[in-house]
Every structure is written in structure tokens, then in C-alpha cells.
Amino acid sequence: MAVETPLKGNIGDSIKRKEDDRFIRGKGNYLDDVNLPGMLHMAINRSPFAHARIKSINTAAAQAVPGVVAVVTGELLAQHKLAWMPTLSGDTQAVLATDKVRFQGQEVACVIANDPYVARDAAALIEVDYDVLQAVVNPQQALKPGAPLIRDEKEGQKDNHIYHWEAGDKAKTDEAFSKADRVVKLDTFYPRCHPSPLETCGIVADVNPATGHATLWMTSQAPHAHRTLFAIVAGLPEQNIRIISPDIGGGFGNKVPIYPGYVVATAASLLIGKPVKWVEDRSENLISTGFARDYYMSGELALRNDGRMLGLRVKMLSDNGAFYADAQPTKFRAGLFHIVTGSYDLPAAHVETDGAYTNKAPGGVAYRCSFRVTEASYLIERLVESAALEMKMDPTEIRLKNFIQPEQFPYMSATGFEYDSGNYPKAMQVALDKLGYKELRKEQAEKRKKGELMGIGVASFTEVVGAGPGKHYDIAGLRMFDSAELRVHPTGKAILKLGVKSQGQGHETTFAQIVTEELGIPAADIEVQEGDTDNTPYGLGTYASRSTPVGGAATAMVSRKLRDKAKIIAAHLLEASAADIEFDHGKFFVRGSPSKSKTIQDVAFAAYTNLPDGLEAGLEGVTYYDPPNMTYPFGTYLVVVDIDRGTGQVKVRRMVAVDDCGVRINPMVVEGQIHGGLTEGFGIAFMELITFDEEGNCIGSNFTDYLLPTSWETPKFEMGETVTPSPHHPIGAKGVGESATVGSPAAYVNAVIDAVGHLGIRNIDMPVTSDKVWAALNEKGAAE
Ligand code: MCN
Ligand code: CUM
């Protein structure tokens, strides 16, 4: 019987995820698992109103509850200059409201008690006297003259407008439109949805009154950046702050912002001198933490009669809620909406965007999105679908006609982005073959004759992930590079420390694999550490699928640094010159004689025991990597749906997803990322919605109103791949963590429109629920 040799964990090996061992045994260490002696608990009193002036706050009843240690109000925080804090986009946000509440669920006061339930009960006893004001619940309403002013505390703020921003070339775009045979227009809305990680947000703040050291266990996707911001906001010396991000039960962007609860718990621990824990419940997470989208988009595509695209014009209006708190580079106010030209060779484009304050929770960019790429991708893919429909072209044909061609890379887009590499026609072909596209079109035609509704949706998305370079990208002024520190111990085992932070993406496995490939140490012998600011090198954290493009590149580079030193040591051991040493998968040998070799383990031991004269001991190093460009993963997604004319119910019959994220480090992990993203895309397209009534009451504040897909609803996915390496990444990898959430919603919606387009239905906004589909059919006299 053949014995299977276990995979060493080189690039391309689908080894099992190391971290899952502790997760599936229930041995993970999540925020709520952190318990310290003498720890107190915090609960938050939140506003029931979306917009109201605070007349008075009476804390007496709460204070009188046995077990309550303190009640913190905005007034108390104001004495320490902590009632307001800066947001990641340079605005300010109330930590605890002092003047007004500006969204339902806003933090008003906090109770600190010796028991979490006592804290909750007491928080409910805080009496707040409100003067209710008119609420503004959408950005169109917010920008009307005479709309209630939400941010009246901001000096110089006379209305609810936040920013106006443009990209591309207006004159050139206008010219393209004037020469066009036809213009196709689409107005669409990408509704507010929520990342909804399984684990909500929380903190255990432990400020030592004797030393002044603050240890903060925090659900943070970016612990280093958060530490710097804490140092600046709280005025604490940065070396006295240690942020530890323990195991994270999903982030999806929700754990990028700094939330008021973190700040109050830290302040409370500082004032009381005891550790304070705060953990949100599900509704608190849904109503007050970083949401996603809420974007109104209007696109126009200028075309020639043969289907060639000439220009793109886009206007967007973004609902940012009461505080402008998107995490996004300061240079790009609307994030990476620039790549709205997608996979197409568009000679001209002009993008305009405005942001408005409303009486809704702040946030806006979170949820597998790379700073608004999701909305951009949705718009262009829906717009191309509309064009195909109006021009009676096959949606694959119009795409093939306009794709940026493989030989055009590196490609400079009309809005000034340099796409690194791609082969769009190939990804589409692989997807079409896998689906059996032609046959299905025939089936569709047959069905249509019988009055049955079947649709095939196409989306050929390109996204952009992996911020920096630092000269173009920053968060709150901090340049976006990332880092890796590698220590190889005498026995040849290693510890890799990273500036990024996994929330479930499998970093402990995949980053070890990069070292395995570069140095030959088996992945099982490499411990990956992240998320502790005292013990990992500075980095900007994990979001925008930047870990592999940036942290992964840093890992490869630090491994190569160590390899160069290892060659000098190997030369010493082999009594040769370092220039003659070759390396192949963990073995060093003199060029031409591979039989006499030293392993990386031999070399590691020698690094501490037997060094050539003059060489420093040890085998360790650190690399800070500032990428020359971002990476541009892409793919084609195809969806087949059947629609019931009696109920409007949409059934996803098939979903084929072909992704290209360059070189795959661990194909199984990549597929897992895509599965998750396709599921989220499905939820966004068909189920998830956070909406608000006229008074600003949040509808969608729990999982019976806000519908996440379970295994019952989720379709089966058929996956395929192409590999177009990134030319500037040391191992050719592009990010993949967001691709499927970015690319799939348009594919699902396009499938629905493909099924009903012949009836004259051009658009149904997400979530495409059966009642909306039925109503659209009914309007055209096509419902049963
Ligand atoms: N990978 C690979 N080969 C590639 C690209 C990636 O093997 N060519 C592996 C990576 O090494 C890593 C994983 O795939 O283990 C995702 O890598 P990457 O695309 O670099 O994304 P990040 O690690 O930076 O993760 C961030 C991304 C984002 S922005 C969101 S939001 C999101 C996502 O990842 N949140 C997630 N996927 C998630 N998955 C889980 N389980 N939980 C989340 O909160
Ligand atoms: Cu924008 S969600 Mo992810 O980039 O953490």
C-alpha cells in the first residue's frame, strides 16, 4: 500500500488550516473568553430616537442599583475632553451624546457594574429627557434646502452635505457622449446591509493605575493603527498602550472602526482602576456599528451601434449616517469607486460623488468591499447588462467586445488606475464552458415560448485590493505598508510575526506556507503570530484584502533576506563561497553538486553554534513592505435562475464562479474565501436589508428582520479558476478575500433581469425579494 507523504505546505498545497484545530475543539480565545480578576462590566444606554435634543439625563436610579460602580455620561467624558472622537475619515463622532442624539441606537450613557446583567438592568434605569426633532432618513431628503441640520455642532456646517468629489476627464467624456450612437442609463440603489460577524464587537480594557499601562483586548482588524489613534485621542503615551486582538469570530470590515464602547470602557478603567469588559449584543451590533453601502448610483454608458463602449458617466450619492466614519484613504473621498470602469476598455469616464449626513448609524465602507469597490462593480456590471438588453446583444458578446485585452496590461484606466494583469476573455470562456452556456440559452428560448421564466446572469468583475502604496493610500494619515518579522530558532523551527490580523481567513496556515516555499521549513514548524502590538511589527491591519498583497509580500521578502544570510552560513558549512551556493526547497548546495547539501535546519543550528568569522549570530529579520501598486483580481460569475410567476420566487439553479487571484497559496483556503463571499453576495442580492421608517426607526435590528442566508437558502457553487500572476508581487499572488462578495451580487441580479427583461423590466433593486419580483411582473401583466 502506498504511503501518502504529508504535504509540506509549499505554495499550491491545500494543507488543512492549522488554526481550525483549536477552533473546532472550542479552544479558541475570543474576546469574551478574556476574564481578569476584579473585572467590571459595562452596558450602554442608547437613544430610542433618531434625532432628538437631550434636555437632561438623570442617573440617580441607575446609580442606586446594588452592584453599580459608576455611571458615565457625555458630560463626564467632556471634562476629560473625550466626549467626541475623530473618525477614520477625519470627521468627529460623539462618544457619548451631550447635545443631541443623531441616530437611533446612539450611545448616551454607560453603566459600570460588577455583573453584566446588573449593568444592563441599571442602564435601562437611566432617565433621559428628550426633545424629539424631525429625522432625516435618506440623503436626497438630507440635501433638500431647509432640511433639519444634523451636525449643528460643527463649526461652519450649514447643511447636511459632506463632500463633493470628481474623478476622470469630464470634457473627454462629454465628447464621447456627443459622438455616441446611443446612451444607456441605469439608476440603481445599493441598499444598506451589514457585515454581521458571528462574534459581535467588544473590549476588555485594563488600565493599571500604578504603572499607567493600558492593555486593551479588542475585536480589532487593525490593532497597530488603533493603538496609534488611541494614543492620539486619549493623550496616552503610545508605549504604554498594548492592544491585543485575540481570536476574531469574523470581521468582514465591521471591526475596522473605533467604536464609542471601546473608548468609554478604556476611560472607565482608567478612572476606576479596574479592568472593564464591554461586549455588544446582536441588536447593538446591527443598529450602531459599521454598516455597508447605502449608495444611490446613476450610470450612463455611451455606445456605438456595434456595442463598443465609448464613455461612462456616473453620479453617486452616499448616505453616510450621522458621522462620516468610512475607513478610506484621505485621497479618495469616495473610496475606490474609481474602478467603476470595471473590466472594460473605456476610453473616457467621469465620476461625481456626493456624501450626505442622515440620522442613521455611521459606517459606510465595511463589508468585504475595498473602499466602495463593491458598489462600483455592481453598477458597471448592471449597466452592461442593461446595454446588452437594450441593444439585443448577448451579455457575453458585449463584454467580449469591450474587455481590456490580455496584451493591454499593465493597463491605465480612464480614471487613472494601473491594472497590473488580467486575462478576462479566458476567465469568461472557462466559466461558459463549465456552465454549458449555449445549451442553457437554447433551453431558455424553449421555456420562454411556453411562458416560463428562466434567466442567465453574467458578471465579469475586476476589483482592486491590497492597499498601498503608502504614497497614495493611508488611513487617518498612516501610510499603508505592512510588515513581517521572521525568527528561525536553532532547531530550525520558526515564528513569523505580522502586522496584519486574521479574522478567520486562515493566516496561521497560509503565511506559514509562504515561508515554507521560500526557506523550506515545513509549515507545521512555523508559528504565525498576529494581533499583539507589543509583539508584532507595525502594520495597518487586515481589510481591503490587503494581507496577501502586502503582508504576504513582506513575508516573502523577509524570508529571502534570511535566505541570503543562510547562504553565507551554508557556504561556511560546505567550505565554499556564498556566491556558489544554490537553494532548492530547503536545501543548500554548491552549484553543480546537489548531492552534498545542508538543510535549512542545519543552517539554522549553525546560525547559533558555528558561524563564519565576523558574521552576526542568529537567523531573524524584519521587512516593511510598501507595494508598488495594488493587485487586480477578477473573474466571471454565471448564475442560472428560474422564477415562479405565481409567487415571484427566484430559485438559483446553478452558480458557476471562475476566479483569478493570481498564484494561489492554499487553493482550499481560497475556495473557502470564495464560497463565503458567494454566500454573502447571495444574501445581499436576495435577502438582507436594513431600512428605516420615516421617524428613523431601524428595521433590521435582529436576525428575524435582517435575513442572513443559512445553508437552506444558499445555492450550490461550482468553481473554476485561471491563474494570471501579479507581475509586481514577489510570489505573484493577488488578494481574494473580497472578490466573491464584490462580483456576485450583480451576477444574481443580472440573472433575474435576464429572465424578465423581455417583459420590459429593466431593474429591480436589491434585495430582490419575491414580493418585488411579483409586483414587477404584475405591473407588466405577466404575473400569475
Ligand atoms: N490566499 C491565498 N492565495 C491568494 C490569495 C489569498 O491562499 N492568491 C489566502 C490568504 O493567504 C488568506 C486568505 O486567502 O489566508 C485571504 O487572503 P486575502 O485575500 O489577502 O485577504 P485578507 O487576509 O486580507 O482578508 C481580508 C478580507 C476582507 S477585506 C474581508 S472584509 C473578509 C475576507 O477577507 N473578512 C473575512 N474574508 C473573510 N473570511 C473570514 N473567514 N472572516 C472574515 O471576517
Ligand atoms: Cu471593507 S470590509 Mo474588509 O475590507 O475588512
Side-chain angles (χ1 to χ4, degrees), residues 558-605:
V558 77
S559 304
R560 289 175 193 180
K561 223 183 234 180
L562 265 54
R563 198 165 72 200
D564 288 343
K565 181 168 180 183
K567 278 187 179 171
I568 299 172
I569 301 171
H572 169 69
L573 298 178
L574 292 164
E575 293 171 354
S577 146
D580 295 332
I581 298 294
E582 299 231 321
F583 173 82
D584 185 36
H585 287 100
K587 288 208 165 89
F588 297 86
F589 51 88
V590 180
R591 187 169 304 121
S593 45
S595 56
K596 205 173 143 234
S597 65
K598 293 288 169 192
T599 63
I600 179 70
Q601 289 80 9
D602 297 332
V603 171
F605 197 68

Side-chain angles (χ1 to χ4, degrees), residues 6 48 84 99 141 148 200 276 286 397 424 428 490 515 521 562 574 598 620 653-654 686 718 720 728:
W84 290 81
D99 53 342
Q141 193 188 345
T200 60
V276 174
L286 280 167
E397 188 197 335
Y424 305 153
M428 175 177 270
V515 178
I521 301 171
L562 265 54
L574 292 164
K598 293 288 169 192
E620 66 177 70
R653 192 201 309 176
R654 291 187 59 198
F686 293 114
E718 304 162 54
H728 64 76

Side-chain angles (χ1 to χ4, degrees), residues 221 252-253 365-370 543-544 738:
Q221 294 182 221
F252 305 106
V365 78
Y367 200 0
R368 273 186 142 168
C369 55
S370 261
Y543 42 84
E738 299 173 336

Side-chain angles (χ1 to χ4, degrees), residues 150-217:
I150 296 167
R151 297 298 300 278
D152 52 341
E153 92 295 349
K154 274 188 95 164
E155 234 180 65
Q157 184 79 37
K158 296 271 178 284
D159 53 26
N160 297 315
H161 187 253
I162 309 174
Y163 56 80
H164 173 85
W165 169 93
E166 297 187 18
D169 187 331
K170 184 169 190 310
K172 205 170 156 196
T173 306
D174 288 346
E175 198 194 319
F177 273 81
S178 70
K179 286 189 186 145
D181 294 327
R182 64 162 81 208
V183 172
V184 173
K185 195 170 187 306
L186 178 75
D187 289 330
T188 183
F189 172 50
Y190 202 132
R192 178 174 280 232
C193 51
H194 200 279
S196 307
L198 214 54
E199 178 204 32
T200 60
C201 302
I203 185 171
V204 176
D206 182 19
V207 185
N208 185 318
T211 62
H213 272 87
T215 308
L216 312 175
W217 285 264

Side-chain angles (χ1 to χ4, degrees), residues 31 199-203 217-221 245-246 248 255 262:
L31 191 277
E199 178 204 32
T200 60
C201 302
I203 185 171
W217 285 264
M218 232 167 92
T219 48
S220 166
Q221 294 182 221
S245 234
I248 299 226
K255 290 165 180 168
Y262 299 158

Side-chain angles (χ1 to χ4, degrees), residues 77-241:
L77 290 182
Q79 291 166 20
H80 301 269
K81 295 204 166 56
L82 281 175
W84 290 81
M85 62 178 184
T87 68
L88 293 176
S89 34
D91 194 7
T92 47
Q93 174 173 356
V95 178
L96 292 177
T98 46
D99 53 342
K100 279 205 305 191
V101 287
R102 293 172 172 84
F103 68 92
Q104 186 187 53
Q106 189 181 334
E107 301 78 2
V108 177
C110 293
V111 173
I112 321 290
N114 57 17
D115 173 283
Y117 300 100
V118 170
R120 277 248 151 183
D121 289 349
L125 294 177
I126 295 172
E127 293 161 29
V128 187
D129 193 5
Y130 291 105
D131 205 352
V132 178
L133 303 168
Q134 194 195 329
V136 180
V137 294
N138 63 52
Q140 291 85 356
Q141 193 188 345
L143 296 181
K144 280 208 182 109
L149 182 61
I150 296 167
R151 297 298 300 278
D152 52 341
E153 92 295 349
K154 274 188 95 164
E155 234 180 65
Q157 184 79 37
K158 296 271 178 284
D159 53 26
N160 297 315
H161 187 253
I162 309 174
Y163 56 80
H164 173 85
W165 169 93
E166 297 187 18
D169 187 331
K170 184 169 190 310
K172 205 170 156 196
T173 306
D174 288 346
E175 198 194 319
F177 273 81
S178 70
K179 286 189 186 145
D181 294 327
R182 64 162 81 208
V183 172
V184 173
K185 195 170 187 306
L186 178 75
D187 289 330
T188 183
F189 172 50
Y190 202 132
R192 178 174 280 232
C193 51
H194 200 279
S196 307
L198 214 54
E199 178 204 32
T200 60
C201 302
I203 185 171
V204 176
D206 182 19
V207 185
N208 185 318
T211 62
H213 272 87
T215 308
L216 312 175
W217 285 264
M218 232 167 92
T219 48
S220 166
Q221 294 182 221
H224 292 277
H226 283 168
R227 182 188 57 177
T228 302
L229 297 174
F230 260 80
I232 293 169
V233 172
L236 296 170
E238 194 163 353
Q239 78 280 14
N240 285 6
I241 307 172

